[in-house]
Amino acid sequence: MAGPSPSPHKPRRKAKRPLTSKLSTDSSVEPLARSPAFPLAAFLWPARGTVSQWELLPLILMAAGLFRWAAGLWGYSGFEKPPMFGDYEAQRHWMEITTQLPISQWYFHDLEWWGLDYPPLTAYHSWLCGKLGSLIDPSWFALFSSRGSHDPTLKVFMRATVLVSEYLVYVPAVVVFVRRYSRLSGVANWSASVALVAILMQPGTILIDHVHFQYNTVMLGFVVASMSSMLAGRNLWAAVFFVAALGFKQMALYYAFSVFAYLLGSCTFPRINVPRFLAIAAVTILSFAILLLPLVVGTLYDVKRGVDSRPDIDGPRPPLPLFQGLVRYLDTEAFYYPVVEQLVQLIHRIFPFARGLFEDKVANFWCALNVIIKIKNFPAELLQRVALLATLASVIPPNIVLFFRPRKDLLPLSFASTAWGFFLFSYQVHEKSVLLPLMPMTLLLAGSHGLSRSTRAWVGFANILGCWTIFPLLQRVDLAVPYTVLTLLWAYLLGLPPTSLSLYFYEGAGGWSHWATLFIHCSFYLAMAFWHVLALFLSPPPDKPDLWVVANVGVGAAGFSLCYLWCLGRLAVESEILPRSWFASKEKTKTQ
Amino acid sequence: MTAEIYPSLTQCAIVAAAFKILLFPAYKSTDFEVHRNWLAITNSLPLWEWYYEKSSEWTLDYPPFFAYFEWIMSQVAKLVDPAMLKVYNLEYDSWQTIYFQRSTVIITELFLVYALQMFVDSSHGASKRAAQAAAISILLSPGLLIIDHIHFQYNGCMYGILIASLVLARKKSTLLWSGLLFAGLLCMKHIYLYLAPAYFVFLLRAYCLSPKSVFRIQFLNCLKLGAGIAGIFGTAFGPFALQGQIPQILSRLFPFSRGLCHAYWAPNVWAVYSFVDRALIILAPRLGLTVKTEALQSVTRGLVGDTSFAVLPDVTPRVCFGLTLAFQTIPLLKLFFQPTWDNFIGAVTLCGYASFLFGWHVHEKAVLLVIIPFSLIALKDRRYLGAFRPLAVAGHVSLFPLLFTPAEFPIKTVYTVFWLILFLMAFDRLAPASSRARFFLFDRFSTLYITVSIPLIAYCSLVHQIVFGKSYEFLPLMFTSSYSAIGVVGSWVGFMVVYFTS
């Protein structure tokens, strides 16, 4: 509301740094708009020019926090859904076992009831949350008796742990990233603030973490911190943060190729830099070592005091779940053997190779293909191999580009296309994993031309489609209202369909690429709307009870493939890896 | 055509509505059941039983227009979940009932948006931007959010009517409608009677008497206003008067049997009075004062009922009434001689202040009666803003005890802090400098006062529980209301000075 009026305060303005990006030359002149192009810009309109970022940032963080907390008042996954409950119970249960059991038993304890299957940093985080929660009410995390607890105060505590973890990891990482990335791309501070709000209000992350319940933002936050360190040229920190992300949730492997390609590329171009490479390798190994250290030391300590990792098993040690051949080279009675056993169990728990290609209905290539060809009839080995090949085929192109052009401004695009590749083609994908490609893609809003119509249209399309594919998951626990509110709110703020068509119809619109986008997006939006109407008023035919979900999966997979192609195409254009003349017409419309 | 000011009221209303829908599952007070019960009473009983029905302890105690309003809503409620309309279905709260009742609050609040847009459109030139900021501050008011959308009531709609009526008073041609609209509002919720003296004086001087001389009466205007008001009151109370139910309605509307202070102490002079009394209990032996022993047991411990004071003399409703009227009369004198719109809003605000500060059994929710009219003129210049600032802090902090559940704690505090930072910052930039000198130290007082709120909130919400646990539960309440009382009284004194010197 504080417009450009006579103000006693002098606005703080920092001297602009010399711009490092090539792109800055053509983008530093932002069009001087007379009126905000979309509602979110209108909300920040009074803050143009005069208000310093330090006044705006606390307000943005408070508003984002309020929406998160209010969304958290709704139910969570598995609320009053015995016998197994859901993700909420899983996370609570991990707080229970990590605080109540010796460390060597964490990965072995009663695996049938939400056994721990995330990497150690999640376990340490659960331990910390469990310890804090036990100070308030020890019964929340009492061994066995607390299973399936739905104490309303416990819910408040659990919601608070998600919010606090996010505000300690994800939010600062995003704030710093947006700052650095917008500077790099020559974007004005005000536009960066708009992008920051858009990123923080992303409906998918709020719905999955704060409503349905999980701690994805911690992992995503470490990845953003890693990208942000790359922007700052601190490659060693980038490695440390990425190891932290992997150590929190193995899903961060979706980005591993890009991290590797960028770091290797930056050691190779413009000239080969062996010391840098060795330093990165050493820091990575050291980070992994530190990550595993508490588990290793804890196991050795437990052995010393005579605590068995599997007190429920009498008699001889059971064989290793994986890598059984190791036993031939190792002495099972040696002091280090329990550590080996522990680490093998860790890998076994984290990577469930034994499960199928996909479990639930998820909007990726395989599940969509399953509609046409019954994939489960093929031998699992073949499927694994095909999935591996398809994934590699999809993720190698963006990473080759990143390796040969290790440019900072290309990071979000290559991270996004790699993650889309993994999401679409890899093995054992969960519908919630859609958050992984969405995160770097949404970060594009802070980049050069990030708030332009074409970028907003595609980033918005991906996010809305992503939320729509997790709707069946949310619907199962009666979360249709927060889904509707948060998704529509975001669409409204960014001026996307179904709230506004201004992205597609405006004066001076034209070009085949524009009409293609219009056609593709509108048909998908119509399909989504039509699907919601169908699912709301009609029940599927009795012989095909999953028809709606399958339709959702099919449309989702097709849309996500287009998002993959868009990211890849734009990466190719922006990296200038292909001759410019090939894309002369395309570029005009893509990056306008 | 001036350029549109961003963000627009509609945009704010949309985003606020999204937030309010997310608050559907939040804590709801007994007022939720009160309104459900009224839906049931008005829908399933004949008119003349409305004010006699008492299956629930939450009997109908609002004037008839509100009952009609409930009846209209109950026609839709029938389609949503007929079970909520059964009088015997006490404490009924199916999710359909919650969604329905919560969304009626959001939908009826649209009238507030409309009235605020009227307010913005009625301001011109340089003050339009300030008017827009003030309008948005009312729309996003943490008071309305806490009271209406969490605690549960329909204030948004009714303050919309009040603002519409205040805006209509801005133009000579719509003065009559302003008066009639206010009469209608009185028949919806009688708490607005507190503001009625200002309306009476203003309409008398500006509408019924000639602008040139107070001795020339404009009979036609008097007739129009009188007939209109009679018609409105007739529509509201007529059907009940025919059945001879007026005494019964009055006994419902004005329950004088309640105590001086409400369950939680409203931040008014009586809160300070009680605080002083409690302090004197400890000091009495040293000062040689007598302590009434029977009062020691019954001093308000956050309980409804008769308050008796241990050291200080007791307060009777008559004293409250006398003081209220006296402090309302002072600003009305000025209004009578200078009946401008700014003075009118000032007088409405001061009437709100007087009744809030000195009234009998004042509820802390009534602080909106002061904040909302004041917001309309708070940006007139920096001296007005100086008086508004402590009120904005005190008034909203005093609402905190309404919500005591852990899940709503972050919402009420963060939202209020957000609102205070945003609007006090924006107002600071928008309020023009005053032509007159500031008064000595008042700004220092208000800065100091606002700073103290931080440790106070921290103590009341966290430290007290950690140190004392469940005991001395009255302490945080007493601190909150004494602190807020100082702010409200301070801003009242400050505004009185501004009002009389401008």
Side-chain angles (χ1 to χ4, degrees):
Chain A
M1 270 98 281
S5 59
S7 153
H9 305 287
K10 264 227 149 163
R12 254 214 268 183
R13 217 177 249 167
K14 284 195 176 173
K16 270 199 178 169
R17 283 189 194 168
L19 300 164
T20 43
S21 160
K22 280 184 200 168
L23 286 162
S24 61
T25 45
D26 52 27
S27 64
S28 55
V29 188
E30 290 204 349
L32 282 171
R34 296 266 160 165
S35 62
F38 46 99
L40 182 57
F43 280 102
L44 294 172
W45 201 245
R48 279 172 319 149
T50 52
V51 178
S52 93
Q53 218 185 346
W54 299 112
E55 291 170 322
L56 202 54
L57 187 61
L59 292 174
I60 292 175
L61 297 188
M62 276 192 266
L66 280 169
F67 273 98
R68 282 161 162 71
W69 190 264
L73 295 173
W74 292 80
Y76 44 76
S77 115
F79 178 63
E80 291 183 344
K81 293 250 188 317
M84 284 305 279
F85 306 97
D87 285 325
Y88 175 87
E89 170 60 17
Q91 301 285 352
R92 193 211 57 75
H93 178 65
W94 296 347
M95 295 180 194
E96 171 193 333
I97 55 175
T98 51
T99 50
Q100 305 293 331
L101 295 175
I103 194 166
S104 60
Q105 294 177 9
W106 289 0
Y107 282 95
F108 292 97
H109 180 76
D110 191 5
L111 299 176
E112 291 305 309
W113 183 273
W114 300 110
L116 185 55
D117 56 4
Y118 275 20
L121 200 52
T122 288
Y124 308 150
H125 175 252
S126 297
W127 174 81
L128 184 66
C129 294
K131 281 285 175 201
L132 291 175
S134 299
L135 290 178
I136 303 171
D137 186 346
S139 73
W140 290 343
F141 305 112
L143 200 57
F144 298 116
S145 67
S146 62
R147 287 187 181 183
S149 163
H150 52 259
D151 177 350
T153 322
L154 171 62
K155 175 185 164 188
V156 174
F157 172 76
M158 296 289 281
R159 295 288 197 205
T161 60
V162 178
L163 194 80
V164 170
S165 307
E166 179 174 353
Y167 271 70
L168 290 177
V169 184
Y170 182 73
V171 170
V174 169
V175 169
V176 173
F177 179 88
V178 167
R179 215 175 152 72
R180 285 186 183 149
Y181 192 55
S182 58
R183 288 256 173 89
L184 179 77
S185 322
V187 170
N189 274 346
W190 179 78
S191 308
S193 298
V194 176
L196 178 65
V197 182
I199 294 166
L200 290 180
M201 289 304 291
Q202 223 189 327
T205 38
I206 303 182
L207 284 169
I208 295 294
D209 273 24
H210 296 273
V211 184
H212 195 263
F213 205 87
Q214 263 191 354
Y215 295 91
N216 293 294
T217 43
V218 177
M219 179 270 286
L220 293 174
F222 282 127
V223 176
V224 178
S226 173
M227 291 167 78
S228 173
S229 307
M230 292 175 192
L231 291 185
R234 300 195 184 110
N235 290 345
L236 298 180
W237 278 109
V240 173
F241 282 126
F242 191 68
V243 171
L246 275 178
F248 196 83
K249 212 168 170 175
Q250 61 273 33
M251 212 79 79
L253 275 174
Y254 280 27
Y255 304 121
F257 265 88
S258 295
V259 175
F260 181 73
Y262 176 80
L263 292 179
L264 191 66
S266 65
C267 296
T268 319
F269 300 100
R271 74 192 81 77
I272 293 174
N273 189 336
V274 178
R276 180 187 275 186
F277 176 77
L278 291 178
I280 292 174
V283 163
T284 309
I285 292 166
L286 192 68
S287 311
F288 269 115
I290 293 172
L291 179 73
L292 293 174
L293 193 66
L295 196 64
V296 170
V297 172
T299 307
L300 290 174
Y301 175 69
D302 282 349
V303 171
K304 198 177 155 213
R305 28 172 217 164
V307 174
D308 194 12
S309 60
R310 271 170 287 186
D312 47 327
I313 295 175
D314 288 334
R317 283 176 176 283
L320 294 175
L322 295 168
F323 317 121
Q324 274 102 356
L326 275 180
V327 185
R328 266 179 275 148
Y329 308 101
L330 299 174
D331 174 8
T332 51
E333 295 306 316
F335 76 95
Y336 59 79
Y337 187 71
V339 175
V340 174
E341 203 180 33
Q342 187 72 238
L343 296 181
V344 171
Q345 173 75 2
L346 178 72
I347 293 168
H348 169 64
R349 291 296 301 157
I350 294 175
F351 301 104
F353 292 108
R355 299 200 210 160
L357 189 55
F358 55 87
E359 243 177 317
D360 232 340
K361 298 282 184 293
V362 43
N364 78 349
F365 177 75
W366 303 117
C367 199
L369 189 68
N370 193 43
V371 180
I372 307 159
I373 313 163
K374 286 286 159 248
I375 285 184
K376 301 222 160 147
N377 300 336
F378 290 93
E381 193 128 322
L382 175 75
L383 290 176
Q384 284 184 18
R385 212 160 281 171
V386 173
L388 180 68
L389 283 177
T391 312
L392 284 179
S394 67
V395 303
I396 281 177
N399 290 301
I400 294 235
V401 173
L402 191 64
F403 172 70
F404 284 107
R405 295 272 194 283
R407 263 173 31 201
K408 293 167 181 172
D409 55 295
L410 298 180
L411 284 172
L413 272 175
S414 54
F415 271 64
S417 19
T418 312
W420 278 128
F422 267 100
F423 178 80
L424 285 168
F425 298 106
S426 78
Y427 197 72
Q428 263 294 314
V429 175
H430 197 280
E431 58 264 61
K432 282 177 261 180
S433 309
V434 75
L435 292 184
L436 281 103
L438 285 181
M439 186 274 286
M441 197 164 164
T442 313
L443 291 181
L444 286 175
L445 292 174
S448 120
H449 301 294
L451 298 176
S452 69
R453 286 199 178 86
S454 72
T455 313
R456 218 154 21 97
W458 275 97
V459 172
F461 170 70
N463 271 289
I464 302 284
L465 188 69
C467 289
W468 180 73
T469 58
I470 53 174
F471 175 75
L473 182 81
L474 298 169
Q475 171 66 33
R476 246 172 276 156
V477 271
D478 304 319
L479 295 173
V481 176
Y483 159 81
T484 316
V485 170
L486 289 169
T487 312
L488 285 181
L489 174 70
W490 200 73
Y492 172 73
L493 287 176
L494 291 189
L496 306 169
T499 63
S500 156
L501 289 173
S502 63
L503 273 179
Y504 304 102
F505 298 100
Y506 53 92
E507 266 180 69
W512 67 268
S513 154
H514 170 81
W515 295 115
T517 309
L518 169 71
F519 175 73
I520 293 170
H521 286 189
C522 286
S523 40
F524 273 95
Y525 282 118
L526 283 176
M528 286 189 252
F530 183 63
W531 182 88
H532 269 307
V533 174
L534 271 185
L536 192 61
F537 294 108
L538 286 177
S539 46
D543 56 326
K544 294 189 178 73
D546 285 337
L547 187 63
W548 296 160
V549 184
V550 169
N552 183 304
V553 161
V555 174
F560 290 150
S561 310
L562 291 169
C563 292
Y564 166 74
L565 290 176
W566 180 79
C567 288
L568 192 63
R570 199 168 145 175
L571 181 68
V573 172
E574 298 215 340
S575 62
E576 293 160 7
I577 201 140
L578 301 172
R580 238 171 200 280
S581 54
W582 291 15
F583 289 95
S585 62
K586 200 174 173 185
E587 188 185 12
K588 206 179 120 209
T589 43
K590 279 279 160 74
T591 59
Q592 69 176 344
Chain B
M1 178 78 205
T2 49
E4 175 119 30
I5 305 164
Y6 295 101
S8 71
L9 275 171
T10 320
Q11 287 171 328
C12 291
I14 290 173
V15 173
F19 186 63
K20 289 161 186 170
I21 295 173
L22 287 179
L23 290 177
F24 274 4
Y27 156 84
K28 54 194 188 324
S29 75
T30 47
D31 275 343
F32 182 83
E33 167 64 8
V34 170
H35 287 92
R36 189 213 54 79
N37 185 44
W38 293 356
L39 283 175
I41 289 176
T42 52
N43 188 263
S44 52
L45 296 178
L47 195 66
W48 35 89
E49 285 176 31
W50 288 2
Y51 284 95
Y52 287 89
E53 162 59 40
K54 52 181 182 192
S55 311
S56 160
E57 58 176 313
W58 313 115
T59 52
L60 181 55
D61 56 8
Y62 272 25
F65 272 178
F66 197 84
Y68 300 161
F69 171 68
E70 292 276 0
W71 180 83
I72 295 169
M73 288 195 295
S74 72
Q75 301 309 309
V76 187
K78 245 193 298 198
L79 310 173
V80 178
D81 181 4
M84 77 169 102
L85 297 175
K86 303 276 185 284
V87 174
Y88 53 82
N89 237 346
L90 300 183
E91 306 283 321
Y92 183 74
D93 60 349
S94 66
W95 66 263
Q96 290 95 333
T97 311
I98 295 174
Y99 283 20
F100 172 74
Q101 294 214 92
R102 291 267 197 214
S103 38
T104 56
V105 178
I106 296 176
I107 292 165
T108 54
E109 209 185 46
L110 288 177
F111 193 78
L112 176 69
V113 181
Y114 176 77
L116 290 170
Q117 191 61 53
M118 272 171 68
F119 168 64
V120 176
D121 294 341
S122 75
S123 333
H124 298 285
S127 68
K128 200 174 178 97
R129 190 178 287 276
Q132 175 105 347
I136 294 175
S137 86
I138 294 175
L139 177 63
L140 301 181
S141 152
L144 289 177
L145 185 92
I146 291 174
I147 300 174
D148 279 15
H149 300 279
I150 302 178
H151 180 88
F152 199 84
Q153 271 191 355
Y154 290 93
N155 292 292
C157 168
M158 284 182 284
Y159 278 100
I161 300 175
L162 177 67
I163 289 170
S165 156
L166 292 175
V167 172
L168 288 173
R170 211 168 187 175
K171 268 202 288 185
K172 203 93 193 149
S173 55
T174 49
L175 260 181
L176 174 65
W177 294 108
S178 164
L180 297 184
L181 200 54
F182 185 72
L185 181 63
L186 282 182
C187 296
M188 248 181 130
K189 195 169 176 179
H190 49 303
I191 196 172
Y192 296 99
L193 270 176
Y194 285 142
L195 309 182
Y199 269 91
F200 175 74
V201 171
F202 184 66
L203 290 174
L204 175 72
R205 183 65 193 84
Y207 190 69
C208 297
L209 301 180
S210 158
K212 295 191 185 89
S213 159
V214 286
F215 300 108
R216 211 176 298 158
I217 301 170
Q218 298 189 309
F219 284 105
L220 182 64
N221 282 357
C222 290
L223 193 69
K224 280 197 274 188
L225 186 63
I229 291 176
I232 287 168
F233 275 86
T235 323
F237 291 94
F240 302 97
L242 290 178
Q243 299 275 336
Q245 295 185 347
I246 296 298
Q248 167 70 11
I249 294 183
L250 288 181
S251 75
R252 284 277 176 90
L253 297 189
F254 303 101
F256 273 108
S257 55
R258 297 187 189 167
L260 175 65
C261 294
H262 186 74
Y264 310 111
W265 303 349
N268 59 10
V269 289
W270 306 128
V272 180
Y273 195 78
S274 311
F275 182 78
V276 171
D277 185 68
R278 303 228 68 175
L280 281 177
I281 293 175
I282 303 161
L283 295 176
R286 292 185 201 170
L287 299 174
L289 297 168
T290 50
V291 179
K292 284 171 265 178
T293 41
E294 77 281 2
L296 274 181
Q297 303 304 316
S298 69
V299 174
T300 308
R301 294 201 159 90
L303 296 171
V304 187
D306 281 335
T307 314
S308 48
F309 294 97
V311 181
L312 297 173
D314 274 342
V315 181
T316 60
R318 201 182 293 272
V319 173
C320 289
F321 187 71
L323 282 172
T324 307
L325 209 64
F327 283 108
Q328 289 193 334
T329 315
I330 303 169
L332 294 181
L333 288 175
K334 178 173 175 178
L335 178 65
F336 189 77
F337 292 109
Q338 292 173 8
T340 63
W341 187 74
D342 284 337
N343 278 345
F344 172 51
I345 305 293
V348 167
T349 308
L350 285 169
C351 281
Y353 264 122
S355 45
F356 181 77
L357 287 174
F358 299 100
W360 180 262
H361 193 82
V362 172
H363 203 286
E364 68 275 43
K365 285 176 252 179
V367 77
L368 290 182
L369 220 48
V370 189
I371 298 179
I372 289 183
F374 200 164
S375 304
L376 301 182
I377 47 166
L379 289 173
K380 200 163 133 62
D381 66 43
R382 300 191 74 83
R383 296 187 333 143
Y384 281 78
L385 183 59
F388 180 72
R389 247 184 278 155
L391 173 72
V393 176
H396 293 125
V397 169
S398 75
L399 294 174
F400 283 3
L402 274 181
L403 307 180
F404 45 82
T405 42
E408 283 71 24
F409 172 74
I411 293 185
K412 70 175 182 189
T413 44
V414 177
Y415 190 87
T416 307
V417 170
F418 172 82
W419 186 90
L420 286 171
I421 295 182
L422 176 63
F423 288 103
L424 292 184
M425 220 163 71
F427 286 3
D428 222 33
R429 283 157 194 258
L430 289 167
S434 167
S435 50
R436 284 158 192 274
R438 295 185 294 182
F439 14 89
F440 182 61
L441 282 183
F442 192 75
D443 285 356
R444 290 283 176 282
F445 160 76
S446 87
T447 310
L448 177 74
Y449 181 78
I450 293 170
T451 320
V452 170
S453 72
I454 300 164
L456 180 95
I457 297 174
Y459 173 79
C460 292
S461 45
L462 289 172
V463 180
H464 180 84
Q465 261 195 337
I466 295 168
V467 177
F468 295 105
K470 291 276 175 207
S471 47
Y472 301 110
E473 265 187 319
F474 68 92
L475 260 184
L477 287 178
M478 194 167 74
F479 282 142
T480 307
S481 68
S482 305
Y483 167 83
S484 308
I486 293 168
V488 178
V489 172
S491 95
W492 175 61
V493 173
F495 185 55
M496 278 282 230
V497 176
V498 174
Y499 179 79
F500 281 107
T501 55
S502 58

Short mmCIF file of all heavy atoms in Angstrom, two decimals, chain A residues 102-121:
data_model
loop_
_atom_site.label_atom_id
_atom_site.label_comp_id
_atom_site.label_asym_id
_atom_site.label_seq_id
_atom_site.Cartn_x
_atom_site.Cartn_y
_atom_site.Cartn_z
N PRO A 102 18.20 -48.42 20.64
CA PRO A 102 19.61 -48.15 20.33
C PRO A 102 19.80 -48.00 18.82
O PRO A 102 19.08 -48.61 18.03
CB PRO A 102 20.34 -49.38 20.87
CG PRO A 102 19.30 -50.39 21.17
CD PRO A 102 18.00 -49.69 21.34
N ILE A 103 20.77 -47.22 18.45
CA ILE A 103 20.94 -46.82 17.05
C ILE A 103 21.10 -48.02 16.12
O ILE A 103 20.64 -48.00 14.98
CB ILE A 103 22.12 -45.82 16.93
CG1 ILE A 103 22.11 -45.11 15.58
CG2 ILE A 103 23.43 -46.49 17.20
CD1 ILE A 103 23.03 -43.90 15.53
N SER A 104 21.71 -49.09 16.61
CA SER A 104 21.95 -50.22 15.71
C SER A 104 20.66 -50.94 15.35
O SER A 104 20.63 -51.73 14.41
CB SER A 104 22.94 -51.18 16.34
OG SER A 104 22.42 -51.67 17.56
N GLN A 105 19.58 -50.70 16.10
CA GLN A 105 18.33 -51.39 15.79
C GLN A 105 17.40 -50.60 14.88
O GLN A 105 16.38 -51.10 14.43
CB GLN A 105 17.58 -51.73 17.09
CG GLN A 105 18.32 -52.72 17.95
CD GLN A 105 17.61 -52.98 19.27
OE1 GLN A 105 16.49 -52.54 19.49
NE2 GLN A 105 18.29 -53.67 20.17
N TRP A 106 17.76 -49.32 14.62
CA TRP A 106 16.85 -48.45 13.87
C TRP A 106 16.40 -49.07 12.54
O TRP A 106 15.23 -49.04 12.20
CB TRP A 106 17.51 -47.10 13.58
CG TRP A 106 17.66 -46.23 14.78
CD1 TRP A 106 17.28 -46.52 16.05
CD2 TRP A 106 18.26 -44.94 14.81
NE1 TRP A 106 17.61 -45.49 16.88
CE2 TRP A 106 18.21 -44.49 16.15
CE3 TRP A 106 18.83 -44.10 13.86
CZ2 TRP A 106 18.70 -43.26 16.54
CZ3 TRP A 106 19.31 -42.88 14.25
CH2 TRP A 106 19.25 -42.45 15.58
N TYR A 107 17.36 -49.60 11.80
CA TYR A 107 17.01 -50.09 10.46
C TYR A 107 16.52 -51.54 10.47
O TYR A 107 16.28 -52.11 9.42
CB TYR A 107 18.21 -49.92 9.51
CG TYR A 107 18.35 -48.50 9.04
CD1 TYR A 107 19.22 -47.61 9.69
CD2 TYR A 107 17.59 -48.02 7.99
CE1 TYR A 107 19.33 -46.30 9.27
CE2 TYR A 107 17.69 -46.70 7.57
CZ TYR A 107 18.56 -45.84 8.21
OH TYR A 107 18.66 -44.53 7.81
N PHE A 108 16.42 -52.13 11.67
CA PHE A 108 15.98 -53.52 11.73
C PHE A 108 14.64 -53.69 12.42
O PHE A 108 13.99 -54.71 12.28
CB PHE A 108 17.03 -54.37 12.48
CG PHE A 108 18.32 -54.52 11.74
CD1 PHE A 108 19.39 -53.70 12.01
CD2 PHE A 108 18.45 -55.49 10.77
CE1 PHE A 108 20.58 -53.85 11.33
CE2 PHE A 108 19.64 -55.65 10.07
CZ PHE A 108 20.71 -54.82 10.36
N HIS A 109 14.22 -52.68 13.16
CA HIS A 109 13.08 -52.84 14.06
C HIS A 109 11.77 -53.03 13.29
O HIS A 109 11.42 -52.18 12.45
CB HIS A 109 12.97 -51.63 14.98
CG HIS A 109 11.82 -51.71 15.94
ND1 HIS A 109 11.83 -52.50 17.06
CD2 HIS A 109 10.61 -51.10 15.91
CE1 HIS A 109 10.68 -52.38 17.69
NE2 HIS A 109 9.92 -51.53 17.02
N ASP A 110 11.04 -54.07 13.62
CA ASP A 110 9.69 -54.36 13.12
C ASP A 110 9.40 -53.72 11.76
O ASP A 110 8.61 -52.77 11.65
CB ASP A 110 8.65 -53.89 14.16
CG ASP A 110 7.27 -54.43 13.79
OD1 ASP A 110 7.15 -55.21 12.82
OD2 ASP A 110 6.30 -54.08 14.49
N LEU A 111 10.02 -54.26 10.73
CA LEU A 111 9.95 -53.61 9.41
C LEU A 111 8.54 -53.62 8.84
O LEU A 111 8.24 -52.85 7.93
CB LEU A 111 10.92 -54.30 8.47
CG LEU A 111 12.38 -54.22 8.94
CD1 LEU A 111 13.29 -55.01 8.02
CD2 LEU A 111 12.85 -52.78 9.05
N GLU A 112 7.69 -54.47 9.38
CA GLU A 112 6.32 -54.52 8.84
C GLU A 112 5.54 -53.26 9.18
O GLU A 112 4.61 -52.88 8.48
CB GLU A 112 5.58 -55.75 9.40
CG GLU A 112 6.12 -57.07 8.89
CD GLU A 112 6.12 -57.13 7.37
OE1 GLU A 112 5.07 -56.84 6.76
OE2 GLU A 112 7.18 -57.44 6.79
N TRP A 113 5.86 -52.64 10.33
CA TRP A 113 5.14 -51.43 10.72
C TRP A 113 6.00 -50.22 10.39
O TRP A 113 6.78 -49.76 11.20
CB TRP A 113 4.79 -51.47 12.22
CG TRP A 113 3.98 -50.28 12.65
CD1 TRP A 113 4.46 -49.08 13.07
CD2 TRP A 113 2.57 -50.16 12.68
NE1 TRP A 113 3.45 -48.21 13.35
CE2 TRP A 113 2.26 -48.85 13.12
CE3 TRP A 113 1.50 -51.03 12.38
CZ2 TRP A 113 0.96 -48.40 13.26
CZ3 TRP A 113 0.22 -50.56 12.53
CH2 TRP A 113 -0.04 -49.27 12.96
N TRP A 114 5.89 -49.74 9.18
CA TRP A 114 6.60 -48.54 8.76
C TRP A 114 8.08 -48.57 9.15
O TRP A 114 8.57 -47.63 9.76
CB TRP A 114 5.95 -47.29 9.35
CG TRP A 114 4.53 -47.11 8.94
CD1 TRP A 114 3.44 -47.24 9.75
CD2 TRP A 114 4.02 -46.79 7.65
NE1 TRP A 114 2.29 -47.01 9.04
CE2 TRP A 114 2.62 -46.73 7.73
CE3 TRP A 114 4.61 -46.53 6.40
CZ2 TRP A 114 1.81 -46.44 6.64
CZ3 TRP A 114 3.79 -46.24 5.32
CH2 TRP A 114 2.41 -46.20 5.46
N GLY A 115 8.75 -49.68 8.79
CA GLY A 115 10.18 -49.74 9.08
C GLY A 115 10.91 -48.57 8.42
O GLY A 115 10.50 -48.07 7.38
N LEU A 116 11.97 -48.13 9.09
CA LEU A 116 12.72 -46.97 8.60
C LEU A 116 13.32 -47.29 7.23
O LEU A 116 14.09 -48.24 7.09
CB LEU A 116 13.81 -46.64 9.62
CG LEU A 116 14.66 -45.40 9.39
CD1 LEU A 116 13.79 -44.18 9.23
CD2 LEU A 116 15.62 -45.21 10.53
N ASP A 117 12.97 -46.53 6.20
CA ASP A 117 13.54 -46.79 4.88
C ASP A 117 14.03 -45.52 4.21
O ASP A 117 14.02 -45.42 2.99
CB ASP A 117 12.57 -47.56 3.98
CG ASP A 117 11.24 -46.85 3.83
OD1 ASP A 117 11.10 -45.74 4.37
OD2 ASP A 117 10.34 -47.40 3.18
N TYR A 118 14.45 -44.55 5.02
CA TYR A 118 15.05 -43.33 4.49
C TYR A 118 16.49 -43.27 4.98
O TYR A 118 16.81 -43.89 6.00
CB TYR A 118 14.28 -42.09 4.98
CG TYR A 118 13.06 -41.74 4.14
CD1 TYR A 118 12.46 -42.67 3.32
CD2 TYR A 118 12.53 -40.47 4.19
CE1 TYR A 118 11.35 -42.35 2.56
CE2 TYR A 118 11.41 -40.14 3.43
CZ TYR A 118 10.83 -41.08 2.62
OH TYR A 118 9.73 -40.76 1.87
N PRO A 119 17.33 -42.50 4.31
CA PRO A 119 18.74 -42.44 4.72
C PRO A 119 18.94 -41.83 6.11
O PRO A 119 18.00 -41.30 6.70
CB PRO A 119 19.38 -41.56 3.65
CG PRO A 119 18.43 -41.53 2.53
CD PRO A 119 17.08 -41.74 3.09
N PRO A 120 20.17 -41.91 6.62
CA PRO A 120 20.41 -41.58 8.03
C PRO A 120 20.02 -40.17 8.45
O PRO A 120 19.59 -39.98 9.58
CB PRO A 120 21.91 -41.78 8.21
CG PRO A 120 22.36 -42.57 7.07
CD PRO A 120 21.39 -42.42 5.96
N LEU A 121 20.15 -39.17 7.57
CA LEU A 121 19.85 -37.82 8.03
C LEU A 121 18.38 -37.70 8.45
O LEU A 121 18.06 -37.00 9.42
CB LEU A 121 20.18 -36.81 6.93
CG LEU A 121 20.38 -35.37 7.39
CD1 LEU A 121 21.39 -35.29 8.52
CD2 LEU A 121 20.82 -34.49 6.23
#
